[in-house]
Each structure stands twice: as C-alpha cells, then as structure tokens.
Amino acid sequence: MARPSTYGGDISLMGTNFGPSSSIPGLVQFYYGPTSTSLVLCSGPSYNPAQTVLRCSLPAGTGVLFTQVVVDTQASNIVSTGYAFPTISTIPSPPTPGGAITITGDYFGTVSGDVTVTLTKGAYSYVCPAAAINFAQTKITCNVNPGTGTWGVVVTIKGQSSASYTMTYQIPTITKVTSIPTSGGFITVTGTNFGTNATLVVLNTTSSQNVNVLCSPTINTAHVELRCSHVSGSGPMNIIAIVDGLSSTVFSWNFIPPNITDATRPTTLGGPITLTGTNFGDVSSVVKIWYNDGPSAFMVCSAPTVTTPLHSKVYCGVGAGTGSGLIFIEVNGQRSSNYTFWYVAPTLSGPVHGGANLPPTGGGLFTLTGNYFGTNNGLVSIWYTVDGGAQQTCTMGTVTQTSAVCNNLIPGTGANSIVATITVDGQASTTLTTSYALPTIGTVDIPPTSGGVISLTGSNYGTLNSLVVVNWWRPGGAMQLCTAPSVVNPHQAVTCTMPPGTGPINFQIWIDGQPSNIWATGFAFPGISLITRPPTPGGPVTITGSNFGNNNNVLYVTFSGQGSTFNCSNVRLLVNFTLLTCDIAPGSGQLNTVVVVDSAVSISGTLTYLPPNITMVSSPPTNGGLITVNGFNFGISSSPAIVTITTTSSLGASTACMGVNLAPLHTQFVCTVAAGTGLTDISMMVNGQPSNVYKFLYLPPNITDTTRPLTTGGKITLTGTNFGDNLALSLISVTYNDGPSVFRTCTGLSITTAHIKVECTVLAGTGSGLISINVNGQRSANVTFWYIAPTVSGPVHGSANLPPTSGGLFTLTGNYFGTINTLASIRYTIDGGAQQTCTMGTVTQTSAVCTNLLPGTGAYTITAWIVVDGQTSPNIVTSYAKPTINYLSAPDTAGDTLVVEGLNYGTIDSLVFVEYWKTPTSKRNCTGVTVVANHIRLNCNIAADTGLFSVQVTVDGQQSNIFGGFHATPGVTLISQPPTTGGPVTITGSYFGSVPGVIVVTMSGQGVPFQCTGVAVEVSQSRISCNVPPGSGSFNASISIDGQVVYGKMTHLPPTINDISSPPTTGGLITIYGTNYGHVTGVVTVTYTASNIVCNTPTFSVPHFNLTCSVNPGTGTVPITVLVNGQSISSTFSYMAPNIDFIAEPPTQGGVITISGTNFGPTAGTAVVTYSVANSAFIPCASIPFLNHTTILCNINAGTGLDAIKVIVAVSSVPSNTFVLDYQPPTISAATRPSTVGGVVVLNGTNYGYDKNMVSVMYSAAGGAFQPCTGVTVINHFALSCSVNAGSGSISYQVTVNNQTSNIFGAGFAGPGSISITQPPTPGGNVVISGSNFGIDASLITVTMTGQSTTFSCSNVQIVTNHNSISCDVPAGSGSFAATVNVGGQTVSGTLTYQAPTISQITSPPPHHVRIRPPPWPPPRRRWSPRGAEGSVLRAEGTEVR
C-alpha cells in the first residue's frame, strides 16, 4: 500500500477479491481514518486493476491512517498505514551562539502544534524550542541552542519521524592574531564561532615550511576570542581554528621581526660570522643574511644556521673581505636593521730565519706570509729596513690572503737583517724580523767511474767573486775536496773536478761561510744491451753491456722470476767492461736479469729460453683419451701453471689437454685430450712460450647395429664406435638407400649417446637398404637395415567401416602398408572358403582398399591379411555391416504406414524385423514389413497414437540403431499479456490435445527458465491457460505437448507513470508512481533530460508501483523516460523551487552579500537575484557570482536600517521566498582625542551610512551622563565628526544610525602636552609648570618627582591658567628629578632642576710652583736599538725613557 502525500492525493489498496470493475459504483466502499474506530468514507474509489487494487483520493493530512474495504456488505480486514513520512532536504548552518534555523523539506503538514524537532549529538539530545510551520508542508523554524560541530536533526509530525538529517554549526572564522617573539609565547586569536568548550577547539598553525603546530587554547571570550601558548617559530604563519571538527579558513599572522646587537669578526678569507640579537628563530626557521664589504652591493651570507641559545644567536659564512661592512638578517621573510661588523686584522708569520721562502741575496721579489691580507693590493702596504738602514716602501705585487709580494727588495746578505710590517685596509700587523736565503744545490752531474769535471746547479751561490768550497765524501768516509771549484753562473752554477771512483757519494757547497743542503749521488751504474737464448736443459749465456768493470771478484749476474731468484754460475769477463759469460740452470720461459758491479745494480734485462717444438702425436678415440706428444724444449715441469697443451678442432673450438705428465724431461708429454673428430690441431705453451701447431687424427667411425624405421619414414638409430659428440654434429652425416635406389642423406641427425649412438630420419620405404656414417671426413663401411613389417588392425566386428552386404569396396586398416599398391596385395576367405586375391585400390601407410569383395552376410565370416614388399601381416577376422536407420516418416495420429530409410537392409523381406515403442516396456511389432528399395528403404504398418516413439530394425540377426519418430506437431497463434505482478496467461493454437497432464509450458530468456503453473485446457486442442510469476519484458515460451515442443513469445504489460516527486536542485532521489515497473532493478533504466542522462541507482519503494532513483543537479521541468526490460513510458518532473535560509547583514556602504539557502541550481545563469532597499522597487543584482546550490553572491547598493532589504532568488523562472534583512549596525573602533578645551572629534568605525539626518552621537565625559555630540557630519561610511564640550580624562561614545545603535567606545581627552618647569632654589618652594591640556579641575591633577633614589609628590597643586599652567610646592633639594604630571589618568614627563650654585668669593691659597707641559704631537716613531746581552733601550725622537 503506497502512503498518500500530506498534500492529499491517491492511496492504493492492494489485496484480493475486490470484485470486478462493474462493482463500482455502489457495491464497493473505501473507508479511512486516524483510528480504527473513526473511519470515514472515501468517495469515488476506482480499480487499477480490478479484483486486486483499489484506489481513492484522500484530503491533505498527516500521521497514521487506518483503511478498510467493504465489497457488497462484506468488510475486509483493517490495515494501518499513514500519510507520507516527513523528509528533510536542507538545514542552514547556525552560528555557535545558536539562534533561529529554517528546516526545508516536505510532508510537514500545516499545523505547528503537530511539529517536534529533535537535535541529537552522541548520547545527548534536546527538543528545538519554538518549532513552527514557516511555510506549509515544506518549511519549519525553531531556535537552536548554542553549540558546535554536527548534530542529527529529526522532524516528527504526529508521531511520524523523518530520517535523521545532519545539521552543522557555522565554521569558525579568524580576524586577528597577536604577534609573539620567535621563542614562543601566548597568542590571542579573535574571530567568530569558537563556541564555549575549549576541549573541542584546536588551533593549527602552519609555517611557510609547512610545519604544523597544534595548540590547545583556552576561551577568553565565548565564541569570539581564544588564547593559547604557542611554540617557537618565525616569520609569517598560517593558522586555522578547528572547532568540534570544523575548520576555519586560513588566517595569516607574523612573529616579531629579528634585531642584531653584536657580531663576531670573520677572517678576511671569509667564513663564519656569529650574530647576537633577538628573534632569530630556531633551527627550523628559514634564515637569510645579507652583508656588504664597505661600499659594495649586498651579498648573501651562506648557510645561515641558528645556534644555541636559540632565537638569539645565528652564524653564517661571509665571503672574503677586509675592513668593515654592514650586515642584516631576514627570518622567514622578516628583516632586521643594518649592523656594522669588522674583518680580522692582518698578522705576519714568515719568512723566518732558516725557513723556506727567504728572499734571494740579489734582492727583488720578497714575499711576506701570514694571514688576513685580503686580495686587493691597492689596500695593502709593506714597509721594511735592511741592517737598521732607512725605511723602505715596497712596490706591491700579488696579494693573497696569506701572502703579499714586495717587488723591489734591495740586495743584501746576512741573518736577521730585514725588519718588515704590513698594513691592510687601515689595520697594521706587528713587525717581523727575517734573513736572506742560504745557498741550495738543485742538481749534480753523475761522474763516470773514470772521474772528470762535474757541474752543480742551484741558487744563492753569490757572484763570480764569491768564496766557494765544494766538499764530497763516501758515506761514512772522510770529507774530500772537489778540486778547482768556480762560480760559472752567478747565483746558479758551480763546477769542479772529481777523481776516479765507484759507489755512492755526497756533496755540499759553502758560499761565503753559509752551507748549502747535502746532495747524495754516486758513480755510474752498469748497463745490459744483449743476452743470448739458452735451450731448456740450460747451458752458457753471454751478456753484452757497459760499466762491467775488470774484476771478476766484484761481478755478479742474478736471475729472478717464476717465484725464485738465483745466481748464474761461473761468471767471467770476456771483454773488460762490455762482455761477460756465465752458466744458467735448466728452465723455461723468461727471467729478469741484472748485473751487479761493486754493489751497483744495472737496469734489469730479459733472458728467454728457446721455445718448445712438437714433432709427433698419437691418435685417440673420438670420446677422447691419452695421447703421447713427442718433441724438444718441453722444459722440466708438468705444472699447469707452467705447461698448457691445447687442441683446436676443425670447427675452431679449443680445449685443454688435461693431466699433462712430462717424461722424459724436455722431449715427451702424455696428456688426456677431450672428445673430438677428424683432423685436429695441437699446440703447447711452456712458461709463456708457444710451440709450433701440429695436426693429428681421431680414430674413424664403425657401425655395429641399426634399428628398424617406420615405412612412413622416421627415426633410425645407429650403434657403433667413434661417432663423435654434439660438438661435432655439424661434421657428421649418414647416407642410405632403399633397395636399388640411389643413396640419399639421412636428415635430422642427432647424437643420442655420444660417440656410440646416432639417430636420424629416413624417408618412407619398405623392405631393406644400405647405410653408412661419415664423421668429420672419416667414413664407416655400409651395413644392411630393414623397414618395419605390415600389421592389420581393422575393420573389427561391430566397428565402423565394415563392408556392406552387397560386397564391393573393402578397406583394411593397420600400419606400415607403404604407399605403392603394386608392392601390396590383400588376400581373404569367406566362411572358410577358397582364398581370394583383391584387385588393389588406393594404399596408404594405414589403409589398403580391396575393390572387389564378394557379397555376403553374417558376423566373423571374412578372414583377411596383407603382403607388403615381401613381408606378410598377421590375419584379421571381421564381419559385414549392421543395418542403420536415418529417417522415419511422421504418421497420422489415427494410424498410418511407417516409412523407414537407412542402409544394409538386404533384399529378403523374411530376414527383416521392425519394432516400435513409446517406452521400453511397451514394444510392438510393425506389421507387413516390405523391402521396397534394396538395402535402403522399408515399409510397415503402425497403430494410432500421439507424441514421440522409437523404432529398431533387425536384419539377419543384426540390430540397427534405435531411431526416434513423432506424430503431428502442435502450433501457437497467440499468447496474452500479463501485468508485471504476474497472473493468468492464455495460449491459443492447434494440436494441444485434451490432457493437461502431458502439457508443460516453460518461459525462458531472462536468467533461469521457469514453468508456468496451473496449466488447464480451456478449449480442447486449441486453447490452454496457466499462471506466471511477477516479471517484466518479453519471455520465450516453450509449449511441450506429450514431448513435442512448439515456441512462442510472451510479453508483460508496459509501464505507466501516474506521478513523480520533485527533487532539490542539488539532485537526489525522486519517486516515480505508476504500474508495471516489475520488481528487479537490474532491468529498469530511467533517463531524463533531452540528453537522456541516466537516473542513478533505481530502487523499488513499492515493487511494480513505486520506483526511486537519483537525479543529477538541475532546475525547472525535465522530460523523463522509464524503460522496464525493453518497454518504456515517458513523462516530466520538476525540481524544487529555490528557498533563501540566511543572508548575513551587509555594511551600510553596500557590497557583496552571501545568500545561503537551497535549490539555487547547479550552474551560473540559472538563478536571477532581485532586491529592494527601503521598500523601493525590486532591481536585479549588479553581478551574481554563482557559487553552488546553496550559495549566491549579490552586489547591493548602500543603505541603513532594520528590515531594510528584501531579496528574491528565481531559478529557471521559479521564485523563492522573500527574505528580509537589516544593514549592519554601526561600530566604533577609534576616536581622536579632543583638547581639554573641547572641540571636534573624529570617530572611526563602520556602517555610518551616508545621511547625517539619520545619525546621532552621544558621549559621556569622566563617567557622567550621556549628552549629544553636536554638529554631526558623516564623512563616509567609516568616519564621522562632531563637537564635545570642555573636559578632561575619559570619554565614552555611542553612535545611532537609522535606529541601530553601536557599541560604547571608551577614549579620552587629549593628554597633557610637553611641559617646562621653573627652577626652585635648593631650600625648596613653589614651581610653575607650563604645558597644555591641564583642564580646569585641579583635583584631577597630581605631580610626582622621581630621582636620587627617592620619590615625592608636589603639594598644593593649583590651576594657574586654565588648560595651560599649574603650580605646586616642592621640598628642599638639589640637582635634577624626573617630573610626571597626571591629568585624569593621562601623564606627561619632564625634568625638575634645582637652581645651580653660584660663587660669590674665593679665598687665596699659599704659593706653589706648577708647570704643565703638553705632550708632543704627532707621537714620535719608535724602533728597537740593540744593546747586546745587557738589554736594550726604547728610544723616541726627542725623548728618552729609562
């Protein structure tokens, strides 16, 4: 039973026995009512359809209904239902302080007293006060409590409740956040919709590095102000407030910016600089630091890092520089002011006496080393003196951070004779004392053992006139002179003459008493140019070279390599100094060779033994084995590290000969070769020396046995020796012939067992042939092989392909028959009679045709065999073919001649017997059997019957197949259409019979087939009926009459549409009311709009009658089509009208308002917004930025007052409700301070409008009564001015604009201005204080003096001149005090100074001699003057201090 709408409408009762349509009017009454005892008559009921559905139209109402039907005085049971349940479609979001909400939906009725609205959150719920119907059926208003988050809302109308709808309080907003130091602190967050429960509030701040910080706040002021302790941070921050799961939009705020108070000195190389200050942030802050070097542009200070203590120290890397520069820091985008920093001053460290880099005695370049010199030689100066002489200024060369070059040092000599100072960018180093350079030997000629002139080159040797001594000595020996020394190139080269000698020696030069470095060298070494090659048994070796000397006793020859070192024996000189000989031991390969003369070792030479040579090799089998290799120079070792023997096949594959054994030495090896074939190369490597390549043969192949191949051709296996392996497969071939035929190649060769078995494929053949194998050019002898003999397998008794009884073709099956019929012969006997020979037809490997088999009958009467190419098969015994049936005529149901067609019926009627039956237990003989066509057709007589039957023929004792026949087939001409609820179906046709028990009606085509129930024969032979279950669309109908089937099609009635509910413009569920929708959603498709959009998720609320689905957002009236299993119906539906729920009050200057509501449509352009200000004509919005179904923006004009604006939204020409709202009331946020004499004040705030006639201002001075502020002028919507009277202290203001009153704003009169105070004498007295804004009331004024560790008040304060001067009395004192004047709580500071002392007389003192002598200027230059070991005196020009 469908529930009627609360607007009133149709209700359908479904049941049984409501009577035919003729029962209306008069005999059928439809009763309804709110209780079962208060039923009233519903007029004008109708059937849809008759018997089962009764429909009637009810008036509007709500709540429970009871219904009853009376048909011809017979009353049905009473059934309870009800009007449609209320539904909720939208609820606006209230602010967290609570307030009125409007609930939009449907089926709310019209009586406010019937309405209850319940709000639930978790376990807590309450009834929303003041619930009332705001718009009949569709809108309810009530006042919600303060709250946050989401709540479930249920509307109950007369005990019937809607589904719970989610209401969400307005999201929080943030308007202001206070700034804090980067070390953290308390932030205050101002905004709206914060609620009252701090446990539900979380503040989430995010830095520019996307670092999230959660803060659990306290609530300072309910709903509007939060406070929480924030962790450290820096720069700009984003913050959101999360109240009970709802997030505000992002608000931006900042930490306090950084400030620098100190900086360390970086080196001139650049590097770390540490800044000290405040608000630098921590390690997570994004810190950037810029600096410059004097006048240069600012640069980035690299790798800024915040260090401990955090927030107050940071370091970074500056570039190279000198002097001073400016630096500033930026922390997450916030910048400090500039700060001055200094680079480190220069220091000197070298060159020092005795160290490196001393200047040459010839002067010129002089390089000072140290640190922090910078790199700009224009900012660097070097001063120096030599031997206490006049100060010299350098011409500067290259300057680096650690060195500075003086280009013009004067020549000189001696130790500690140079005193130097460097100045960099205005900062001077300390002095450095240093020396000229010592002589240095760079190279020395190596003397030959015969002696001679040598040259020593180097530096600082002095001039041609320098005193030069050259000493040389053997290590551990006495020092000797190199004679005739001379400086041949000033400062750079000395020569002298050496005597003959050998071995290592040292040199040292002395120049003017200063020693050089010691230079180690020696006499010339021996050398090798040629070594002869010995055989591997060893023998004499001759070595040619130089510097071998002439003494065999100090002469050695040493060989090394191959893991050992040994001396050559019997070493002796053949030619002094150039040729020697010695005897070498047996060996092989190469050896390193050196000649040693008196411990002097020559450069290594190479000795090489003679290489190996192969002269003969024995032959192995193809599977490999031992071979003997003969030759000479094979050496003395069988080790694989020394000797390798390699064979290389004709295919190029190389393998090692394993297990090498040398016996006897030098001339013979035995080793094991790998498998191979044919002619093969062999070579050896002895200790790295290759032999010649020698060729040898493997043993040839031999065949000892073969397998028999198939006559179709195929595999044959050869067994024997020396066949090789898979590596030699490409070198192996097999040839054969078939009897007298030519030899051919056996294909598909493979080795099945290496060296002893091969397999290949021969062509088809019969009989015998010859075969041989060739392995890598070596061929075996021919052997004889045989093909397989023939075998016979069929035809066998009872199988197919038996010969017909008429004889003729007879096919033997089997195998290995060959394909040549002249080599094949079939022989047979019948019933043991004489042997017959066939005329042969086609022969294949598996069948042979005999073309002239004699006629005959019976089983196992034929004995046959085949002879192929001289080989005879075994016998086979077989039979003639059985009879078969392949056609039966359809006899009349009154009895008729049955025609049987098939094969093998013979020609004799007496041998043929025919049976037929409907069941195996009811077999009958078909009488009068006659063979009407030999072997293929019979006639006999069958009795009257219907339906299906079976037939079998027996010929000469052999039975045929069983073959089915049938009587005349029924036909179908018409099938009626049932509703989707199911019910009776009538089928009209022919040959249905009159027995329902043999009739089966089956419906199929939609899933699992089903049978129609309650089959009945309505008209014998021509009409039957049955009942179908609920369904839709078309079904294939199968009608079986006694096993004979006929087909038709049954189609359900098509769907209809009676009504469709209206969805919101956001889309959602619609309900479609009608008939024949079926009960399976999978076959239902609902499309709407001209584009045929699919209505999603169709679902039955009442199967067959009510259908729901989900439509997309839209507006207006839309076409819709319901398709049920291929049957469709079209109609239209309309989206809900728009509704305005809430509009925030706009400011008086007008601007964009946000319209919140429902059903504004899915796209821009579908909504039209008009508004009226102060009851003027409605005008369209200047612009309508469309946001969504629930939000539209509208730009309205300026205005003021309560209920001043009316707004209507029309969507697709359908208007909403009219929404009335106010302009925002005025607010005061700032006020100027008037002088205490009174005057104009300016109030800043919002919403002052534009018409001063609608504006009034009241003020209260010093807590007194409010009074008008006169002369009001509206400057703009944000500022106005008016005039106040004279006064002092505090003032409160309040503005009223068009009956809307602002907040009360506290300000004050202007505070006292800067002051001057007369000077009292030290005994104290009256002082006069001049200034401004002192007012006229002395009781509001106090004067306080502070200083000298005391505080006191000035007494007896009096007004001297209104507003401008006052007086008071101070006690005795002296000096200065800080003075503070307080006028009504507002203060100004100044200074009170007692009168200064005056001198009126001075008495004379006794005489005393005093002489004041000013110091000299400029200060004198100072230098150290030596005084020997007794000390020194610091002297200054014009002074002496002792």
Side-chain angles (χ1 to χ4, degrees), residues 9 100 406 562 1017 1062 1189 1306 1377:
C406 171
Q562 303 178 29
V1017 177
S1062 294
H1189 297 275
F1377 288 82

Side-chain angles (χ1 to χ4, degrees), residues 258-274:
N259 181 53
I260 303 173
T261 59
D262 193 16
T264 59
R265 287 187 169 222
T267 70
T268 58
L269 297 168
I273 181 172
T274 299

Side-chain angles (χ1 to χ4, degrees), residues 109 112 329 371 628 670 715 767 880 911 1163 1199:
S112 296
I329 184 171
N371 217 340
T628 300
V670 176
K715 300 294 185 182
Y880 284 92
L911 296 178
T1163 58

Side-chain angles (χ1 to χ4, degrees), residues 1303-1320:
N1303 56 312
I1304 296 175
F1305 185 83
F1309 284 91
S1314 60
I1315 59 175
S1316 62
I1317 307 175
T1318 59
Q1319 292 183 318

